[in-house]
Amino acid sequence: HGLTVLFPLCGASVDLYWLYCQNHTVVGVEGVTKAIKKLFLEADMEYDVHKVREIEAEKFQTRDRQLTVYLADFIGISKEILGTFDAVFDRGSLGSIDESDRNAYISTIQGLLKNDLITYCVVLTTNRSRRQ
C-alpha cells in the first residue's frame, strides 16, 4: 500500500479509481476534458480544479489530494510538475500514440520514475498498412 502511481494518457479509466480506493496516490495525465470529468462523475468523487500556470494546464484533484488528473500534454511534462512515481500503469497508451512520438513518450516516463519502480504496460499493435 501507499504507492504513487502514474497513469499517462489515462482517459476515464476505472483503474485510477480502483487504485485510489486501495489507498494509493494516483496521478493521471489526459488531453481531453470530457474524459477527466467522466472519471470523476462516474466515481461520484468531489474534486477541485486549479490552473497550472507553468505548463498552461489544469489540475483536477480530489479533496483529499490522493487522486489528481492533469489536463495537459503528457510528452515533456516534468517531475517538477508531477513529482516522481513508484509505478506506471500504461494500458494502451504507448500503442495509441504515433510511432514518431514514442521515444519522447518513453523519455518522459523515465524522467518521472523513482529508482525502484513497477511498470504495467499493455501494448496492442495493429498493421496500419492493412487498414482500408
Side-chain angles (χ1 to χ4, degrees):
H1 287 280
L3 295 176
T4 304
V5 183
L6 173 65
F7 278 77
L9 311 179
C10 63
S13 174
V14 297
D15 299 313
L16 283 90
Y17 181 65
W18 188 85
L19 283 171
Y20 167 80
C21 290
Q22 307 308 308
N23 297 314
H24 299 294
T25 300
V26 180
V27 177
V29 181
E30 173 56 45
V32 179
T33 306
K34 186 176 180 179
I36 298 170
K37 289 182 177 180
K38 179 181 177 188
L39 166 71
F40 284 97
L41 178 68
E42 289 182 356
D44 195 28
M45 294 185 293
E46 292 185 15
Y47 63 94
D48 296 311
V49 181
H50 305 280
K51 296 281 184 195
V52 182
R53 299 190 196 296
E54 299 88 348
I55 58 170
E56 296 183 28
E58 291 183 326
K59 177 170 66 171
F60 294 69
Q61 190 170 56
T62 56
R63 302 267 163 87
D64 65 2
R65 299 181 178 194
Q66 295 302 109
L67 193 153
T68 305
V69 180
Y70 288 84
L71 175 62
D73 182 6
F74 180 75
I75 294 177
I77 202 164
S78 70
K79 65 182 174 185
E80 287 76 25
I81 300 296
L82 295 185
T84 56
F85 297 89
D86 301 302
V88 177
F89 191 109
D90 179 327
R91 186 178 173 267
S93 299
L94 180 62
S96 71
I97 61 175
D98 289 335
E99 288 184 38
S100 62
D101 291 330
R102 288 184 183 165
N103 285 338
Y105 174 85
I106 292 166
S107 293
T108 299
I109 288 176
Q110 288 173 329
L112 298 170
L113 301 176
K114 293 181 180 175
N115 291 333
D116 299 325
L117 78 128
I118 302 164
T119 303
Y120 176 73
C121 184
V122 175
V123 179
L124 302 174
T125 59
T126 60
N127 185 340
R128 294 182 183 195
S129 65
R130 290 186 176 197
R131 290 185 183 174
Q132 296 178 345

